[in-house]
């Protein structure tokens, strides 16, 4: 697979999630996501926090935030490696809480690769003032069967009916 194809497919998958194509959890946490920059091993996105993704205090729910970050990191790894790789280790540090309708910028960057492992660093910042909202670290592993049945896998294979595919993890 050509490098440009890896980036194009990764970007397309995130765009499809934001338009409502994908699993219900991934779609619900990705609506309003915009990919503003994509290259091998780097994804930059903007996101507006919707009311349905907030906790009882009106803050972006940390679970919704983590789901979105995991998807962006996964697409970033695919743009780098041309494979969907399962997450082995994922950690988030939260520093502040964006509110409803607040716009954030998210940058995911591949920062290392060793054997079958790939590491991604994710930064979330308030767009208005650059304040750090959270930092994420993720490790993924190469696996010949990883991701079959996911929307990204079906996009890679030209099959747009993701529900017909079954996972072989």
């Amino acid at each position: 697979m050509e490098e440009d194809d890896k980036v194009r497919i990764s970007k397309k998958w995130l765009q499809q999630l934001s338009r409502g194509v994908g699993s219900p959890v991934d779609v619900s946490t990705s609506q309003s996501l915009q990919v503003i920059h994509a290259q091998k091993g780097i994804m930059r996105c903007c996101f507006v926090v919707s009311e349905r993704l907030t906790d009882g205090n009106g803050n972006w729910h940390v679970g919704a935030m983590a789901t979105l970050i995991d998807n962006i990191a996964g697409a970033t790894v695919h743009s780098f490696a041309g494979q969907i790789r399962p997450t082995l280790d994922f950690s988030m540090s939260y520093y502040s809480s964006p509110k409803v309708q607040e716009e954030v910028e998210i940058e995911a960057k591949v920062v290392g690769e060793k054997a079958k492992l790939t590491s991604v660093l994710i930064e979330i910042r308030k767009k208005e003032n650059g304040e750090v909202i959270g930092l994420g670290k993720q490790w993924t592993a190469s696996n010949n069967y990883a991701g079959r049945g996911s929307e990204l896998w079906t996009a890679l294979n030209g099959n747009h009916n993701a529900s017909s595919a079954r996972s072989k993890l």
Side-chain angles (χ1 to χ4, degrees), residues 81-149:
Q83 279 186 313
I84 301 164
R85 295 183 169 179
T87 301
L88 295 179
D89 184 45
F90 180 71
S91 65
M92 284 289 300
S93 296
Y94 300 97
Y95 300 106
S96 68
S97 300
K99 301 285 187 186
V100 174
Q101 295 305 310
E102 199 159 1
E103 188 171 9
V104 299
E105 292 180 333
I106 303 163
E107 181 177 87
K109 189 181 298 186
V110 171
V111 293
E113 183 176 46
K114 183 168 180 140
K116 293 183 174 190
L117 301 175
T118 305
S119 178
V120 181
L121 182 65
I122 306 101
E123 279 189 7
I124 309 158
R125 296 181 177 272
K126 292 183 180 182
K127 186 169 183 177
E128 180 182 320
N129 60 14
E131 177 186 347
V132 175
I133 294 165
L135 297 175
K137 292 184 277 182
Q138 184 181 65
W139 281 96
T140 63
S142 178
N143 176 336
N144 290 338
Y145 299 107
R148 293 185 187 187

Side-chain angles (χ1 to χ4, degrees), residues 28-31 47 49-55 59-61 64:
S28 69
T29 57
S30 301
Q31 290 179 339
F47 181 76
V49 178
S50 71
E51 187 172 354
R52 72 177 185 286
L53 297 178
T54 59
D55 60 19
N59 299 315
W60 189 9
H61 191 282

Side-chain angles (χ1 to χ4, degrees), residues 3 7 10 35 37-44 75-76 79-80 108:
E3 182 174 318
V7 174
S10 299
V35 179
H37 178 80
Q39 71 182 63
K40 181 181 179 180
I42 299 173
M43 291 281 169
R44 239 177 262 122
T76 304
S79 77
F80 178 80

